[in-house]
Amino acid sequence: MQIQPGISTIREAQKILAKYFAPTRLIAAPFLSHRTGRSVYLKLEMELPTGSFKVRGAFYALAERMKKCSVREVVASSTGNHGAAVAYAAKEFGIAAKIFLPVNCNPVKRGRIAALGAAIVESGGSDLASAFELASEYVKQPGVYFLNDATDADLPAGPATIACEILEQLPKATAILVPMGDTALIRGIAAAAKQIAPSVRIIGVQAERAPAYYLSWKEGKVVGTETCDTIADGLATRTPEAANVRDVKNLVDDVVLVSEEQMLRAIETLLVEEHVVAEPAGAASAAALLKSSDGCGDCPVPIVSGANISQEVLKRAIESAQANVGASAFRGV
């Protein structure tokens, strides 16, 4: 099987992205290491501009598109982080951006997009499908580029650079745990890792309440879900792309599910014990590791993919942690 993106493309993406931001930090995680009995390191993608890894793919894909043709406006459909990344890249490149969002999206993410000067269009639906439909209709105009992170052929080379950085920063890494939403992140990371260090295990993480790619990975075919009602809006995908299912099946070693409660606990653990801010999708990998470290080897690296957490969800995470402490005290634990 020919792995895409190829390593030469990924290295070129590294050179392009280096013009805009430095490699993100990889830090030791003492509490997670003690809890799991492993040497755990966290890859802090939330330290990038807009607070998530998404700028890697947005910058690279937009730069590649502008090499090929004129772009007067770039459009994205998003639950928030991808939209902010596209808005940020568009502002840097001096072109207009329009972001289609579902109604009632994360207010922190919506605020980031607005602050970057992009036009915002709210769809009538509560998930990404309705925003995608509106965006698809709008981009029929000439000179408008639909930067769809689920299907754009160039985009995965951007997040693939994360694996390059990890393997340069920590050659002894044994596994990389990766949140899975539209799968551009895990497809990029897996493509890079399998070409640089094939023994490193790639473990995808999905929300129990948004398991479409988990089910598709297990079945080896597209399995959609009727809903994707999860606090982890970055993982809220219900209609997998067939090509993405194929790549995930070929490149990813395991996929695990985490519950809403496990993500809430992981948010609080990262904040209090490791001093790292994470939104639910960003905490999903740590949640998976806390659930079980089997198959991760001695040196796992959870990706903290984003930090754009709403006040409501942060409050829930803290209240959940307090309730668990109270229950443990009641039981005499």
Side-chain angles (χ1 to χ4, degrees), residues 28-320:
F31 179 84
L32 292 177
S33 297
H34 176 74
R35 176 65 67 87
T36 62
R38 320 274 177 172
S39 295
V40 181
Y41 289 77
L42 298 171
K43 183 61 168 166
L44 303 184
E45 287 298 290
M46 15 64 66
E47 293 186 340
L48 286 167
T50 75
S52 92
F53 80 94
K54 294 278 190 177
V55 290
R56 292 181 187 260
F59 263 81
Y60 182 69
L62 187 52
E64 289 299 293
R65 180 70 172 195
M66 292 172 69
K67 289 179 187 177
K68 300 168 187 173
C69 61
S70 174
V71 178
R72 67 172 178 84
E73 184 179 29
V74 59
V75 166
S77 59
S78 172
T79 57
N81 279 340
H82 175 59
V86 170
Y88 187 89
K91 186 175 182 179
E92 185 70 29
F93 292 144
I95 61 176
K98 182 167 288 186
I99 312 301
F100 291 77
L101 301 171
V103 295
N104 301 320
C105 76
N106 180 318
V108 175
K109 298 177 182 181
R110 191 187 193 285
R112 282 194 181 275
I113 295 168
L116 289 164
I120 294 175
V121 178
E122 289 191 351
S123 70
S126 60
D127 62 26
L128 190 57
S130 59
F132 173 80
E133 289 174 6
L134 281 181
S136 299
E137 186 64 29
Y138 180 81
V139 298
K140 293 177 181 179
Q141 303 173 63
V144 179
Y145 167 40
F146 189 5
L147 209 177
N148 183 356
D149 56 350
T151 59
D152 191 277
D154 293 320
L155 188 142
T161 61
I162 298 169
C164 297
E165 291 177 16
I166 291 171
L167 296 171
E168 290 163 5
Q169 294 163 325
L170 190 71
K172 66 177 182 177
T174 54
I176 304 175
L177 291 89
V178 188
M180 284 176 57
D182 58 39
T183 73
L185 176 60
I186 197 166
R187 286 183 288 121
I189 286 177
K194 295 305 179 184
Q195 293 174 88
I196 299 169
S199 64
V200 173
R201 285 176 56 80
I202 305 299
I203 301 171
V205 185
Q206 282 219 292
E208 285 182 354
R209 294 173 66 168
Y213 271 104
Y214 167 80
L215 297 172
S216 299
W217 177 81
K218 283 191 70 175
E219 297 292 329
K221 63 181 181 180
V222 173
V223 180
T225 57
E226 291 187 6
T227 62
C228 51
D229 181 21
T230 173
I231 57 170
D233 53 0
L235 307 183
T237 302
R238 61 182 175 89
T239 309
E241 295 285 338
N244 297 351
V245 170
R246 178 200 64 211
D247 290 345
V248 169
K249 184 67 176 177
N250 288 335
L251 295 172
V252 175
D253 297 292
D254 196 8
V255 181
V256 298
L257 295 176
V258 291
S259 68
E260 307 291 283
E261 181 65 24
Q262 286 164 342
M263 285 187 283
L264 289 170
R265 290 184 189 177
I267 289 168
E268 191 269 346
T269 296
L270 288 173
L271 181 62
V272 174
E273 304 293 349
E274 307 294 3
H275 314 298
V276 170
V277 178
E279 62 187 84
S285 292
L289 190 65
L290 287 166
K291 179 180 180 181
S292 174
S293 60
D294 292 347
C296 291
D298 295 331
C299 191
V301 179
I303 304 291
V304 185
S305 58
N308 293 311
I309 185 169
S310 69
Q311 290 185 359
E312 177 190 353
V313 173
L314 180 58
K315 181 181 178 183
R316 284 179 62 186
I318 293 171
E319 289 175 346
S320 174

